Amino acid sequence: MLSVKKIIVFGIAAFLLLIITGVAVYFLLFSKDDKKPIQVITETKIKNVELEIWGLFDDISIYSPIINEYQKLHPEVTISYKKMVFDDYETNLINSIASGKGPDIFYFNNNWVYKHLDKISPIKAQNVPSNRFIKATIDDFIKKGLVYGVPLNVDNLALFYNKDLFAIQGLSNPPRTWDQFADYTQVLTKFSSDGKIIRSGASMGTFSNINRAADILLTLMMQNRVDIFDFTTGKVAINKTVLSKEGEINPSEDALRFYTDFANSEKKIYTWNDGFNYSIDAFTSGEVAMMFNYAYNISVIKDRAPYLNFGISQMPSQYKNSPITHSNYWALSVSRNSLNSEVSWDFINFLTAEENYPKYFEKANVIPAQQKFIDIKKTDPLLRPFIDQLIYSKTPYILDQAKVERILKQAINAVTSGALTTKKALEQAEDRLNLIIQ
């Protein structure tokens, strides 16, 4: 028989052993060195795996060094990369996944999150070193503790301007507010003797011949403090009136009116119409002094007009204390059809690891999505405005980007053609947008 003292001693010892064991297990399972990619898989799980990546914009030469390095570490893995055509990429991707086929890893836009979550095989957030990434970007892809994509780059909407045309009119600095933008537009616009525009101040007001027109209008709405989607009612709420010092106003209607006034020949700020070339072409040829676009089009402009003297500035804002711009960038995601989702996520973690990620973003010439490397690009005066805007870049809640753009196109065209008032066009747009989410 054990004495009471011995029983107590043995009990305490067992209790202490249990605590020590628990602590050890915790550190073994959950502690991690953030300087290394988190291993999603173990060597024993890799057996003759073939992965296919569908990419955009980036040539195989950008990926080859990283793929080769991964295959050296994992000889049982073979990775192929296919550069897809952007125009029909989303359709081909969705159709392939729907048929049970498609790639293992694919490029995924941040504006597709709500539309295509069900196409992705997510990974637990604890298996992705999310603290490496700029918070606003990785947060776009984390839902209920699961990661649906890992950002490859960051981008947002900014103002491109022709420095030579500015200098001719004695303008040294780009506009920072929308009032200044409207004033600059009037100064830069040139009319012929018969009242036709021979040089536009800004590509603004229409839809079909303006690149990213929907994003510009959505930015104006967000700057007017419009919540595109009302999570309390579960409906689109772009036609909501609010009380202000001036009385009851409709911020979305104000945004739509301001945007379309630039294509209204009866307004002082009239500067653009459907007769102009596509905005990027008009900008590179000197037909227009200002346009809004993303950083990824810098290379397009340089290729088309290598001697064009242009600058880039942050998006003008309605309120100095609450600037907002529209974000647009790409991530890598894993298909729900992949038979090797763990290996796929392991490769993504490998590619975005600190020692490998620079090999990607330097060759791809994009703004890095990781905080550690962002300062590298700040020395580039054309990229600096996009980086400075990251803190207030925003992705509006959009269930189906293509349908939203089509509906906003209808609203803009209805106003510019005189078919509908801004109020009526907005009412129709809201009704049509709500049909998407039903």
Side-chain angles (χ1 to χ4, degrees), residues 194-375:
D194 57 352
K196 293 181 179 179
I197 302 173
I198 55 177
R199 187 184 72 210
S200 169
S203 55
M204 192 86 159
T206 60
F207 190 97
S208 298
N209 60 347
I210 294 180
N211 186 251
R212 313 308 303 189
D215 293 358
I216 299 169
L217 179 56
L218 287 169
T219 299
L220 286 168
M221 289 182 178
M222 289 190 293
Q223 286 194 6
N224 273 1
R225 299 167 182 168
V226 174
D227 291 323
I228 308 299
F229 186 83
D230 188 339
F231 285 92
T232 59
T233 62
K235 292 183 178 181
V236 174
I238 61 168
N239 190 32
K240 184 186 292 186
T241 57
V242 297
L243 288 175
S244 70
K245 294 178 181 179
E246 293 77 26
E248 196 174 70
I249 62 169
N250 187 324
S252 293
E253 187 180 349
D254 287 347
L256 179 58
R257 183 184 299 108
F258 179 77
Y259 180 82
T260 54
D261 275 356
F262 289 92
N264 187 339
S265 59
E266 296 181 358
K267 300 294 181 178
K268 289 193 302 182
I269 58 175
Y270 174 56
T271 190
W272 186 263
N273 55 49
D274 286 320
F276 275 94
N277 290 319
Y278 197 58
S279 57
I280 296 177
D281 299 325
F283 186 75
T284 54
S285 65
E287 291 178 74
V288 63
M290 296 183 288
M291 74 166 184
F292 297 104
N293 224 298
Y294 292 95
Y296 67 79
N297 268 318
I298 292 174
S299 60
V300 174
I301 293 168
K302 287 183 174 181
D303 288 343
R304 294 184 186 179
Y307 301 107
L308 183 66
N309 184 21
F310 71 99
I312 299 175
S313 178
Q314 295 180 43
M315 197 75 177
S317 60
Q318 184 71 8
Y319 304 102
K320 291 182 179 180
N321 60 343
S322 60
I324 293 176
T325 190
H326 196 293
S327 61
N328 184 7
Y329 51 89
W330 295 87
L332 287 177
S333 294
V334 176
S335 170
R336 70 184 185 196
N337 295 337
S338 177
L339 300 177
N340 302 288
S341 59
E342 289 186 352
V343 183
S344 298
W345 280 113
D346 192 69
F347 173 74
I348 292 173
N349 274 344
F350 179 83
L351 184 151
T352 55
E354 291 180 2
E355 62 270 27
N356 297 320
Y357 184 53
K359 301 171 188 174
Y360 167 77
F361 74 76
E362 289 291 1
K363 280 192 173 183
N365 195 29
V366 295
I367 303 173
Q370 296 188 19
Q371 193 65 51
K372 180 175 181 178
F373 302 108
I374 202 72
D375 287 343

Side-chain angles (χ1 to χ4, degrees), residues 108-114 117 134-143 146-149 151 327-329 331 393-396:
F108 187 73
N109 190 269
N110 68 309
N111 290 292
W112 295 356
V113 172
Y114 295 100
L117 278 186
I134 296 167
K135 191 176 186 304
T137 61
I138 191 67
D139 282 355
D140 276 345
F141 299 100
I142 298 179
K143 309 296 173 188
L146 296 175
V147 176
Y148 288 84
S327 61
N328 184 7
Y329 51 89
S393 295
K394 189 174 180 180
T395 305

Side-chain angles (χ1 to χ4, degrees), residues 170-185:
L171 303 172
S172 55
N173 297 312
R176 297 306 300 269
T177 67
W178 287 113
D179 286 341
Q180 287 180 345
F181 176 81
D183 291 341
Y184 276 39
T185 298

